[in-house]
Amino acid sequence: MKKYLGALLILGCLTLSSCFDFVEQIDMTHRGAGTIKATLNVSKSRTKVASLLKMKQFNGIEIPSETTIKQEMQQVVRTLKATPGISNVHYSLDFNNYIATLSCHFDNVQALNDFSKALSAQFKTQITSYNSYRYDATSQTFNRSYTYTPHLAKEFSKIPNDDKNLFADAYYTNIIRFDKNIQSQSHKNAKISANKQAVFLKVKALDLINGSTHLTNTITLVK
């Protein structure tokens, strides 16, 4: 993970007008099971991404080849499939439009945390130290805990100052849908959908990198 983090930052954001969009969608029942899908979309910068992928390094950062990216994704899929409570694992890598997706079913929210632990062991990084999920079926409360880590900021600091400005339009979007109406949610920048069954949060990547925003949220369903 650390080896390719800088490369991901470079590949993920290449133009002032359009950086990257990372979208995380969670669809969950009130019993705690559901699906999660993550999408990284760099399609509007595909010409420059294609050029970068032909290089071995950019500003001293190693650029992974398409083959290496496929191998890394396949290893992630194997890790997912071996994680208890995780099933129906699917992924796609579109090297024409540069859109990557990864999805799976989870039997319960703890399976998501177990998946994070498995990835932490594989990539030798502490994913679970700053992000975890919890769901109380009795109170029907979904909680996401997030603690800012300076690691990403340290990696980001290695990028030349001129290139840092390219992240001005990079966004992270989180959508959580339920099969019951939502009573409340705690994040000041998140919104409850018109049908009362989804929470939508969109934040700038730079705000996550520098720690000026967070992803912690508590969502309570109507009993």
PDB file of all heavy atoms in Angstrom, residues 111-147:
ATOM      1  N   ALA A 111     -17.875  -8.096   9.567  1.00  0.00           N
ATOM      2  CA  ALA A 111     -17.145  -8.656   8.435  1.00  0.00           C
ATOM      3  C   ALA A 111     -16.373  -7.570   7.700  1.00  0.00           C
ATOM      4  O   ALA A 111     -15.283  -7.819   7.176  1.00  0.00           O
ATOM      5  CB  ALA A 111     -18.111  -9.361   7.481  1.00  0.00           C
ATOM      6  N   LEU A 112     -16.923  -6.349   7.659  1.00  0.00           N
ATOM      7  CA  LEU A 112     -16.203  -5.230   7.047  1.00  0.00           C
ATOM      8  C   LEU A 112     -14.943  -4.916   7.833  1.00  0.00           C
ATOM      9  O   LEU A 112     -13.876  -4.658   7.259  1.00  0.00           O
ATOM     10  CB  LEU A 112     -17.097  -3.993   6.984  1.00  0.00           C
ATOM     11  CG  LEU A 112     -18.209  -3.971   5.942  1.00  0.00           C
ATOM     12  CD1 LEU A 112     -18.983  -2.656   6.044  1.00  0.00           C
ATOM     13  CD2 LEU A 112     -17.667  -4.156   4.545  1.00  0.00           C
ATOM     14  N   ASN A 113     -15.044  -4.927   9.151  1.00  0.00           N
ATOM     15  CA  ASN A 113     -13.871  -4.666   9.982  1.00  0.00           C
ATOM     16  C   ASN A 113     -12.843  -5.794   9.861  1.00  0.00           C
ATOM     17  O   ASN A 113     -11.635  -5.531   9.828  1.00  0.00           O
ATOM     18  CB  ASN A 113     -14.301  -4.494  11.439  1.00  0.00           C
ATOM     19  CG  ASN A 113     -15.149  -3.251  11.643  1.00  0.00           C
ATOM     20  OD1 ASN A 113     -14.926  -2.229  11.008  1.00  0.00           O
ATOM     21  ND2 ASN A 113     -16.132  -3.339  12.516  1.00  0.00           N
ATOM     22  N   ASP A 114     -13.323  -7.040   9.772  1.00  0.00           N
ATOM     23  CA  ASP A 114     -12.408  -8.162   9.597  1.00  0.00           C
ATOM     24  C   ASP A 114     -11.695  -8.062   8.253  1.00  0.00           C
ATOM     25  O   ASP A 114     -10.513  -8.410   8.129  1.00  0.00           O
ATOM     26  CB  ASP A 114     -13.167  -9.488   9.682  1.00  0.00           C
ATOM     27  CG  ASP A 114     -13.664  -9.773  11.093  1.00  0.00           C
ATOM     28  OD1 ASP A 114     -13.133  -9.165  12.039  1.00  0.00           O
ATOM     29  OD2 ASP A 114     -14.590 -10.589  11.235  1.00  0.00           O
ATOM     30  N   PHE A 115     -12.414  -7.593   7.227  1.00  0.00           N
ATOM     31  CA  PHE A 115     -11.808  -7.383   5.916  1.00  0.00           C
ATOM     32  C   PHE A 115     -10.700  -6.341   6.010  1.00  0.00           C
ATOM     33  O   PHE A 115      -9.606  -6.510   5.457  1.00  0.00           O
ATOM     34  CB  PHE A 115     -12.884  -6.937   4.931  1.00  0.00           C
ATOM     35  CG  PHE A 115     -12.356  -6.315   3.662  1.00  0.00           C
ATOM     36  CD1 PHE A 115     -11.452  -6.988   2.857  1.00  0.00           C
ATOM     37  CD2 PHE A 115     -12.767  -5.054   3.270  1.00  0.00           C
ATOM     38  CE1 PHE A 115     -10.974  -6.425   1.684  1.00  0.00           C
ATOM     39  CE2 PHE A 115     -12.293  -4.480   2.103  1.00  0.00           C
ATOM     40  CZ  PHE A 115     -11.391  -5.168   1.312  1.00  0.00           C
ATOM     41  N   SER A 116     -10.959  -5.260   6.733  1.00  0.00           N
ATOM     42  CA  SER A 116      -9.948  -4.222   6.898  1.00  0.00           C
ATOM     43  C   SER A 116      -8.715  -4.761   7.603  1.00  0.00           C
ATOM     44  O   SER A 116      -7.581  -4.428   7.250  1.00  0.00           O
ATOM     45  CB  SER A 116     -10.528  -3.038   7.688  1.00  0.00           C
ATOM     46  OG  SER A 116     -11.567  -2.406   6.974  1.00  0.00           O
ATOM     47  N   LYS A 117      -8.931  -5.614   8.595  1.00  0.00           N
ATOM     48  CA  LYS A 117      -7.805  -6.210   9.315  1.00  0.00           C
ATOM     49  C   LYS A 117      -6.987  -7.102   8.382  1.00  0.00           C
ATOM     50  O   LYS A 117      -5.749  -7.122   8.442  1.00  0.00           O
ATOM     51  CB  LYS A 117      -8.318  -7.014  10.497  1.00  0.00           C
ATOM     52  CG  LYS A 117      -8.909  -6.177  11.619  1.00  0.00           C
ATOM     53  CD  LYS A 117      -9.442  -7.055  12.736  1.00  0.00           C
ATOM     54  CE  LYS A 117     -10.075  -6.217  13.839  1.00  0.00           C
ATOM     55  NZ  LYS A 117     -10.645  -7.073  14.917  1.00  0.00           N
ATOM     56  N   ALA A 118      -7.683  -7.835   7.513  1.00  0.00           N
ATOM     57  CA  ALA A 118      -6.986  -8.719   6.582  1.00  0.00           C
ATOM     58  C   ALA A 118      -6.135  -7.908   5.606  1.00  0.00           C
ATOM     59  O   ALA A 118      -4.999  -8.261   5.298  1.00  0.00           O
ATOM     60  CB  ALA A 118      -7.999  -9.571   5.813  1.00  0.00           C
ATOM     61  N   LEU A 119      -6.683  -6.802   5.131  1.00  0.00           N
ATOM     62  CA  LEU A 119      -5.929  -5.938   4.226  1.00  0.00           C
ATOM     63  C   LEU A 119      -4.759  -5.279   4.940  1.00  0.00           C
ATOM     64  O   LEU A 119      -3.700  -5.074   4.354  1.00  0.00           O
ATOM     65  CB  LEU A 119      -6.842  -4.877   3.620  1.00  0.00           C
ATOM     66  CG  LEU A 119      -7.869  -5.352   2.589  1.00  0.00           C
ATOM     67  CD1 LEU A 119      -8.609  -4.164   2.001  1.00  0.00           C
ATOM     68  CD2 LEU A 119      -7.225  -6.167   1.493  1.00  0.00           C
ATOM     69  N   SER A 120      -4.957  -4.926   6.214  1.00  0.00           N
ATOM     70  CA  SER A 120      -3.873  -4.330   6.990  1.00  0.00           C
ATOM     71  C   SER A 120      -2.688  -5.277   7.066  1.00  0.00           C
ATOM     72  O   SER A 120      -1.532  -4.871   6.927  1.00  0.00           O
ATOM     73  CB  SER A 120      -4.361  -3.988   8.403  1.00  0.00           C
ATOM     74  OG  SER A 120      -5.339  -2.969   8.378  1.00  0.00           O
ATOM     75  N   ALA A 121      -2.993  -6.564   7.280  1.00  0.00           N
ATOM     76  CA  ALA A 121      -1.931  -7.562   7.367  1.00  0.00           C
ATOM     77  C   ALA A 121      -1.249  -7.750   6.013  1.00  0.00           C
ATOM     78  O   ALA A 121      -0.029  -7.864   5.927  1.00  0.00           O
ATOM     79  CB  ALA A 121      -2.502  -8.886   7.851  1.00  0.00           C
ATOM     80  N   GLN A 122      -2.051  -7.755   4.941  1.00  0.00           N
ATOM     81  CA  GLN A 122      -1.489  -7.974   3.610  1.00  0.00           C
ATOM     82  C   GLN A 122      -0.585  -6.841   3.169  1.00  0.00           C
ATOM     83  O   GLN A 122       0.504  -7.046   2.644  1.00  0.00           O
ATOM     84  CB  GLN A 122      -2.618  -8.144   2.592  1.00  0.00           C
ATOM     85  CG  GLN A 122      -2.119  -8.297   1.149  1.00  0.00           C
ATOM     86  CD  GLN A 122      -3.260  -8.415   0.162  1.00  0.00           C
ATOM     87  OE1 GLN A 122      -4.282  -9.013   0.458  1.00  0.00           O
ATOM     88  NE2 GLN A 122      -3.083  -7.846  -1.015  1.00  0.00           N
ATOM     89  N   PHE A 123      -1.033  -5.597   3.378  1.00  0.00           N
ATOM     90  CA  PHE A 123      -0.288  -4.441   2.902  1.00  0.00           C
ATOM     91  C   PHE A 123       0.604  -3.809   3.971  1.00  0.00           C
ATOM     92  O   PHE A 123       1.238  -2.783   3.735  1.00  0.00           O
ATOM     93  CB  PHE A 123      -1.250  -3.386   2.352  1.00  0.00           C
ATOM     94  CG  PHE A 123      -1.953  -3.812   1.096  1.00  0.00           C
ATOM     95  CD1 PHE A 123      -3.318  -4.011   1.080  1.00  0.00           C
ATOM     96  CD2 PHE A 123      -1.251  -4.021  -0.078  1.00  0.00           C
ATOM     97  CE1 PHE A 123      -3.976  -4.406  -0.075  1.00  0.00           C
ATOM     98  CE2 PHE A 123      -1.886  -4.411  -1.242  1.00  0.00           C
ATOM     99  CZ  PHE A 123      -3.261  -4.607  -1.239  1.00  0.00           C
ATOM    100  N   LYS A 124       0.602  -4.422   5.181  1.00  0.00           N
ATOM    101  CA  LYS A 124       1.428  -3.929   6.274  1.00  0.00           C
ATOM    102  C   LYS A 124       1.164  -2.451   6.575  1.00  0.00           C
ATOM    103  O   LYS A 124       2.065  -1.627   6.680  1.00  0.00           O
ATOM    104  CB  LYS A 124       2.916  -4.140   5.954  1.00  0.00           C
ATOM    105  CG  LYS A 124       3.281  -5.615   5.781  1.00  0.00           C
ATOM    106  CD  LYS A 124       4.755  -5.807   5.470  1.00  0.00           C
ATOM    107  CE  LYS A 124       5.072  -7.283   5.306  1.00  0.00           C
ATOM    108  NZ  LYS A 124       6.502  -7.524   4.985  1.00  0.00           N
ATOM    109  N   THR A 125      -0.114  -2.136   6.683  1.00  0.00           N
ATOM    110  CA  THR A 125      -0.528  -0.790   7.052  1.00  0.00           C
ATOM    111  C   THR A 125      -1.721  -0.906   7.992  1.00  0.00           C
ATOM    112  O   THR A 125      -2.429  -1.920   7.988  1.00  0.00           O
ATOM    113  CB  THR A 125      -0.923   0.039   5.813  1.00  0.00           C
ATOM    114  OG1 THR A 125      -1.222   1.381   6.219  1.00  0.00           O
ATOM    115  CG2 THR A 125      -2.133  -0.550   5.107  1.00  0.00           C
ATOM    116  N   GLN A 126      -1.945   0.111   8.817  1.00  0.00           N
ATOM    117  CA  GLN A 126      -2.991   0.025   9.828  1.00  0.00           C
ATOM    118  C   GLN A 126      -4.273   0.717   9.358  1.00  0.00           C
ATOM    119  O   GLN A 126      -4.625   1.801   9.817  1.00  0.00           O
ATOM    120  CB  GLN A 126      -2.508   0.640  11.145  1.00  0.00           C
ATOM    121  CG  GLN A 126      -1.402  -0.157  11.809  1.00  0.00           C
ATOM    122  CD  GLN A 126      -1.839  -1.582  12.104  1.00  0.00           C
ATOM    123  OE1 GLN A 126      -2.922  -1.808  12.632  1.00  0.00           O
ATOM    124  NE2 GLN A 126      -0.998  -2.544  11.747  1.00  0.00           N
ATOM    125  N   ILE A 127      -4.991   0.057   8.431  1.00  0.00           N
ATOM    126  CA  ILE A 127      -6.254   0.600   7.953  1.00  0.00           C
ATOM    127  C   ILE A 127      -7.238   0.775   9.092  1.00  0.00           C
ATOM    128  O   ILE A 127      -7.929   1.779   9.200  1.00  0.00           O
ATOM    129  CB  ILE A 127      -6.845  -0.330   6.877  1.00  0.00           C
ATOM    130  CG1 ILE A 127      -5.901  -0.433   5.683  1.00  0.00           C
ATOM    131  CG2 ILE A 127      -8.211   0.166   6.410  1.00  0.00           C
ATOM    132  CD1 ILE A 127      -6.320  -1.467   4.658  1.00  0.00           C
ATOM    133  N   THR A 128      -7.301  -0.236   9.968  1.00  0.00           N
ATOM    134  CA  THR A 128      -8.287  -0.210  11.042  1.00  0.00           C
ATOM    135  C   THR A 128      -7.964   0.802  12.120  1.00  0.00           C
ATOM    136  O   THR A 128      -8.785   1.055  12.995  1.00  0.00           O
ATOM    137  CB  THR A 128      -8.406  -1.604  11.694  1.00  0.00           C
ATOM    138  OG1 THR A 128      -7.106  -2.044  12.082  1.00  0.00           O
ATOM    139  CG2 THR A 128      -8.991  -2.608  10.719  1.00  0.00           C
ATOM    140  N   SER A 129      -6.784   1.400  12.109  1.00  0.00           N
ATOM    141  CA  SER A 129      -6.441   2.370  13.147  1.00  0.00           C
ATOM    142  C   SER A 129      -7.184   3.687  12.957  1.00  0.00           C
ATOM    143  O   SER A 129      -7.285   4.482  13.887  1.00  0.00           O
ATOM    144  CB  SER A 129      -4.927   2.623  13.154  1.00  0.00           C
ATOM    145  OG  SER A 129      -4.526   3.266  11.957  1.00  0.00           O
ATOM    146  N   TYR A 130      -7.700   3.933  11.734  1.00  0.00           N
ATOM    147  CA  TYR A 130      -8.393   5.196  11.520  1.00  0.00           C
ATOM    148  C   TYR A 130      -9.789   5.049  10.932  1.00  0.00           C
ATOM    149  O   TYR A 130     -10.488   6.042  10.735  1.00  0.00           O
ATOM    150  CB  TYR A 130      -7.559   6.124  10.629  1.00  0.00           C
ATOM    151  CG  TYR A 130      -7.214   5.576   9.255  1.00  0.00           C
ATOM    152  CD1 TYR A 130      -8.059   5.790   8.173  1.00  0.00           C
ATOM    153  CD2 TYR A 130      -6.031   4.878   9.049  1.00  0.00           C
ATOM    154  CE1 TYR A 130      -7.739   5.307   6.925  1.00  0.00           C
ATOM    155  CE2 TYR A 130      -5.706   4.395   7.784  1.00  0.00           C
ATOM    156  CZ  TYR A 130      -6.557   4.613   6.726  1.00  0.00           C
ATOM    157  OH  TYR A 130      -6.233   4.133   5.488  1.00  0.00           O
ATOM    158  N   ASN A 131     -10.239   3.824  10.650  1.00  0.00           N
ATOM    159  CA  ASN A 131     -11.572   3.660  10.098  1.00  0.00           C
ATOM    160  C   ASN A 131     -12.168   2.330  10.550  1.00  0.00           C
ATOM    161  O   ASN A 131     -11.547   1.286  10.422  1.00  0.00           O
ATOM    162  CB  ASN A 131     -11.512   3.690   8.569  1.00  0.00           C
ATOM    163  CG  ASN A 131     -12.889   3.656   7.942  1.00  0.00           C
ATOM    164  OD1 ASN A 131     -13.595   4.644   7.924  1.00  0.00           O
ATOM    165  ND2 ASN A 131     -13.284   2.497   7.435  1.00  0.00           N
ATOM    166  N   SER A 132     -13.371   2.369  11.110  1.00  0.00           N
ATOM    167  CA  SER A 132     -14.057   1.145  11.506  1.00  0.00           C
ATOM    168  C   SER A 132     -15.559   1.390  11.525  1.00  0.00           C
ATOM    169  O   SER A 132     -16.022   2.531  11.598  1.00  0.00           O
ATOM    170  CB  SER A 132     -13.584   0.667  12.888  1.00  0.00           C
ATOM    171  OG  SER A 132     -13.913   1.615  13.884  1.00  0.00           O
ATOM    172  N   TYR A 133     -16.325   0.289  11.458  1.00  0.00           N
ATOM    173  CA  TYR A 133     -17.780   0.368  11.439  1.00  0.00           C
ATOM    174  C   TYR A 133     -18.366  -0.391  12.626  1.00  0.00           C
ATOM    175  O   TYR A 133     -17.772  -1.343  13.135  1.00  0.00           O
ATOM    176  CB  TYR A 133     -18.325  -0.245  10.145  1.00  0.00           C
ATOM    177  CG  TYR A 133     -17.813   0.405   8.875  1.00  0.00           C
ATOM    178  CD1 TYR A 133     -16.711  -0.113   8.205  1.00  0.00           C
ATOM    179  CD2 TYR A 133     -18.445   1.529   8.347  1.00  0.00           C
ATOM    180  CE1 TYR A 133     -16.244   0.476   7.041  1.00  0.00           C
ATOM    181  CE2 TYR A 133     -17.983   2.128   7.185  1.00  0.00           C
ATOM    182  CZ  TYR A 133     -16.882   1.591   6.531  1.00  0.00           C
ATOM    183  OH  TYR A 133     -16.411   2.176   5.385  1.00  0.00           O
ATOM    184  N   ARG A 134     -19.566   0.038  13.023  1.00  0.00           N
ATOM    185  CA  ARG A 134     -20.270  -0.659  14.093  1.00  0.00           C
ATOM    186  C   ARG A 134     -21.770  -0.499  13.851  1.00  0.00           C
ATOM    187  O   ARG A 134     -22.229   0.568  13.410  1.00  0.00           O
ATOM    188  CB  ARG A 134     -19.872  -0.074  15.457  1.00  0.00           C
ATOM    189  CG  ARG A 134     -20.515  -0.745  16.651  1.00  0.00           C
ATOM    190  CD  ARG A 134     -19.805  -0.340  17.938  1.00  0.00           C
ATOM    191  NE  ARG A 134     -19.654   1.098  18.040  1.00  0.00           N
ATOM    192  CZ  ARG A 134     -20.582   1.915  18.539  1.00  0.00           C
ATOM    193  NH1 ARG A 134     -21.729   1.425  18.958  1.00  0.00           N
ATOM    194  NH2 ARG A 134     -20.359   3.213  18.618  1.00  0.00           N
ATOM    195  N   TYR A 135     -22.527  -1.559  14.123  1.00  0.00           N
ATOM    196  CA  TYR A 135     -23.979  -1.478  13.965  1.00  0.00           C
ATOM    197  C   TYR A 135     -24.652  -2.175  15.130  1.00  0.00           C
ATOM    198  O   TYR A 135     -24.352  -3.334  15.440  1.00  0.00           O
ATOM    199  CB  TYR A 135     -24.433  -2.118  12.657  1.00  0.00           C
ATOM    200  CG  TYR A 135     -25.940  -2.050  12.463  1.00  0.00           C
ATOM    201  CD1 TYR A 135     -26.572  -0.830  12.242  1.00  0.00           C
ATOM    202  CD2 TYR A 135     -26.716  -3.205  12.530  1.00  0.00           C
ATOM    203  CE1 TYR A 135     -27.944  -0.764  12.085  1.00  0.00           C
ATOM    204  CE2 TYR A 135     -28.095  -3.146  12.367  1.00  0.00           C
ATOM    205  CZ  TYR A 135     -28.700  -1.912  12.147  1.00  0.00           C
ATOM    206  OH  TYR A 135     -30.071  -1.839  12.006  1.00  0.00           O
ATOM    207  N   ASP A 136     -25.553  -1.458  15.785  1.00  0.00           N
ATOM    208  CA  ASP A 136     -26.328  -1.990  16.899  1.00  0.00           C
ATOM    209  C   ASP A 136     -27.736  -2.271  16.381  1.00  0.00           C
ATOM    210  O   ASP A 136     -28.503  -1.338  16.140  1.00  0.00           O
ATOM    211  CB  ASP A 136     -26.357  -0.988  18.051  1.00  0.00           C
ATOM    212  CG  ASP A 136     -27.001  -1.551  19.305  1.00  0.00           C
ATOM    213  OD1 ASP A 136     -27.910  -2.397  19.173  1.00  0.00           O
ATOM    214  OD2 ASP A 136     -26.609  -1.147  20.411  1.00  0.00           O
ATOM    215  N   ALA A 137     -28.064  -3.549  16.212  1.00  0.00           N
ATOM    216  CA  ALA A 137     -29.363  -3.914  15.661  1.00  0.00           C
ATOM    217  C   ALA A 137     -30.513  -3.563  16.596  1.00  0.00           C
ATOM    218  O   ALA A 137     -31.633  -3.314  16.154  1.00  0.00           O
ATOM    219  CB  ALA A 137     -29.393  -5.406  15.329  1.00  0.00           C
ATOM    220  N   THR A 138     -30.231  -3.543  17.898  1.00  0.00           N
ATOM    221  CA  THR A 138     -31.285  -3.228  18.867  1.00  0.00           C
ATOM    222  C   THR A 138     -31.724  -1.776  18.757  1.00  0.00           C
ATOM    223  O   THR A 138     -32.914  -1.472  18.656  1.00  0.00           O
ATOM    224  CB  THR A 138     -30.809  -3.523  20.302  1.00  0.00           C
ATOM    225  OG1 THR A 138     -30.426  -4.896  20.407  1.00  0.00           O
ATOM    226  CG2 THR A 138     -31.908  -3.217  21.302  1.00  0.00           C
ATOM    227  N   SER A 139     -30.748  -0.887  18.772  1.00  0.00           N
ATOM    228  CA  SER A 139     -31.070   0.541  18.648  1.00  0.00           C
ATOM    229  C   SER A 139     -31.129   0.987  17.191  1.00  0.00           C
ATOM    230  O   SER A 139     -31.507   2.110  16.896  1.00  0.00           O
ATOM    231  CB  SER A 139     -30.029   1.383  19.386  1.00  0.00           C
ATOM    232  OG  SER A 139     -28.740   1.211  18.797  1.00  0.00           O
ATOM    233  N   GLN A 140     -30.721   0.073  16.290  1.00  0.00           N
ATOM    234  CA  GLN A 140     -30.673   0.348  14.851  1.00  0.00           C
ATOM    235  C   GLN A 140     -29.861   1.619  14.568  1.00  0.00           C
ATOM    236  O   GLN A 140     -30.307   2.540  13.903  1.00  0.00           O
ATOM    237  CB  GLN A 140     -32.089   0.429  14.274  1.00  0.00           C
ATOM    238  CG  GLN A 140     -32.814  -0.901  14.356  1.00  0.00           C
ATOM    239  CD  GLN A 140     -34.123  -0.932  13.596  1.00  0.00           C
ATOM    240  OE1 GLN A 140     -34.374  -0.114  12.721  1.00  0.00           O
ATOM    241  NE2 GLN A 140     -34.964  -1.891  13.946  1.00  0.00           N
ATOM    242  N   THR A 141     -28.643   1.588  15.115  1.00  0.00           N
ATOM    243  CA  THR A 141     -27.713   2.699  14.961  1.00  0.00           C
ATOM    244  C   THR A 141     -26.454   2.225  14.250  1.00  0.00           C
ATOM    245  O   THR A 141     -25.807   1.270  14.680  1.00  0.00           O
ATOM    246  CB  THR A 141     -27.333   3.294  16.327  1.00  0.00           C
ATOM    247  OG1 THR A 141     -28.509   3.751  16.980  1.00  0.00           O
ATOM    248  CG2 THR A 141     -26.381   4.465  16.161  1.00  0.00           C
ATOM    249  N   PHE A 142     -26.126   2.904  13.158  1.00  0.00           N
ATOM    250  CA  PHE A 142     -24.932   2.610  12.378  1.00  0.00           C
ATOM    251  C   PHE A 142     -23.889   3.672  12.685  1.00  0.00           C
ATOM    252  O   PHE A 142     -24.170   4.868  12.622  1.00  0.00           O
ATOM    253  CB  PHE A 142     -25.269   2.621  10.884  1.00  0.00           C
ATOM    254  CG  PHE A 142     -24.085   2.398   9.977  1.00  0.00           C
ATOM    255  CD1 PHE A 142     -23.690   1.117   9.628  1.00  0.00           C
ATOM    256  CD2 PHE A 142     -23.366   3.472   9.458  1.00  0.00           C
ATOM    257  CE1 PHE A 142     -22.610   0.905   8.778  1.00  0.00           C
ATOM    258  CE2 PHE A 142     -22.286   3.278   8.611  1.00  0.00           C
ATOM    259  CZ  PHE A 142     -21.910   1.991   8.271  1.00  0.00           C
ATOM    260  N   ASN A 143     -22.667   3.226  13.018  1.00  0.00           N
ATOM    261  CA  ASN A 143     -21.622   4.176  13.382  1.00  0.00           C
ATOM    262  C   ASN A 143     -20.365   3.932  12.571  1.00  0.00           C
ATOM    263  O   ASN A 143     -19.909   2.796  12.436  1.00  0.00           O
ATOM    264  CB  ASN A 143     -21.301   4.064  14.877  1.00  0.00           C
ATOM    265  CG  ASN A 143     -20.188   5.003  15.308  1.00  0.00           C
ATOM    266  OD1 ASN A 143     -19.033   4.629  15.339  1.00  0.00           O
ATOM    267  ND2 ASN A 143     -20.548   6.231  15.629  1.00  0.00           N
ATOM    268  N   ARG A 144     -19.818   4.999  12.022  1.00  0.00           N
ATOM    269  CA  ARG A 144     -18.515   4.928  11.367  1.00  0.00           C
ATOM    270  C   ARG A 144     -17.546   5.781  12.173  1.00  0.00           C
ATOM    271  O   ARG A 144     -17.766   6.985  12.358  1.00  0.00           O
ATOM    272  CB  ARG A 144     -18.577   5.452   9.936  1.00  0.00           C
ATOM    273  CG  ARG A 144     -17.214   5.415   9.237  1.00  0.00           C
ATOM    274  CD  ARG A 144     -17.283   5.885   7.806  1.00  0.00           C
ATOM    275  NE  ARG A 144     -16.030   5.621   7.101  1.00  0.00           N
ATOM    276  CZ  ARG A 144     -15.864   5.761   5.785  1.00  0.00           C
ATOM    277  NH1 ARG A 144     -16.875   6.157   5.037  1.00  0.00           N
ATOM    278  NH2 ARG A 144     -14.701   5.493   5.230  1.00  0.00           N
ATOM    279  N   SER A 145     -16.478   5.162  12.643  1.00  0.00           N
ATOM    280  CA  SER A 145     -15.450   5.877  13.409  1.00  0.00           C
ATOM    281  C   SER A 145     -14.268   6.158  12.508  1.00  0.00           C
ATOM    282  O   SER A 145     -13.798   5.272  11.789  1.00  0.00           O
ATOM    283  CB  SER A 145     -15.006   5.047  14.613  1.00  0.00           C
ATOM    284  OG  SER A 145     -16.081   4.826  15.497  1.00  0.00           O
ATOM    285  N   TYR A 146     -13.794   7.379  12.535  1.00  0.00           N
ATOM    286  CA  TYR A 146     -12.681   7.773  11.677  1.00  0.00           C
ATOM    287  C   TYR A 146     -11.727   8.647  12.480  1.00  0.00           C
ATOM    288  O   TYR A 146     -12.139   9.622  13.114  1.00  0.00           O
ATOM    289  CB  TYR A 146     -13.204   8.553  10.468  1.00  0.00           C
ATOM    290  CG  TYR A 146     -12.120   9.127   9.572  1.00  0.00           C
ATOM    291  CD1 TYR A 146     -11.556   8.375   8.553  1.00  0.00           C
ATOM    292  CD2 TYR A 146     -11.671  10.436   9.751  1.00  0.00           C
ATOM    293  CE1 TYR A 146     -10.566   8.895   7.729  1.00  0.00           C
ATOM    294  CE2 TYR A 146     -10.682  10.974   8.939  1.00  0.00           C
ATOM    295  CZ  TYR A 146     -10.137  10.202   7.920  1.00  0.00           C
ATOM    296  OH  TYR A 146      -9.162  10.726   7.120  1.00  0.00           O
ATOM    297  N   THR A 147     -10.456   8.292  12.468  1.00  0.00           N
ATOM    298  CA  THR A 147      -9.431   9.073  13.149  1.00  0.00           C
ATOM    299  C   THR A 147      -8.399   9.514  12.124  1.00  0.00           C
ATOM    300  O   THR A 147      -7.877   8.695  11.367  1.00  0.00           O
ATOM    301  CB  THR A 147      -8.739   8.242  14.249  1.00  0.00           C
ATOM    302  OG1 THR A 147      -9.722   7.794  15.182  1.00  0.00           O
ATOM    303  CG2 THR A 147      -7.693   9.081  14.977  1.00  0.00           C
TER     304      THR A 147
END
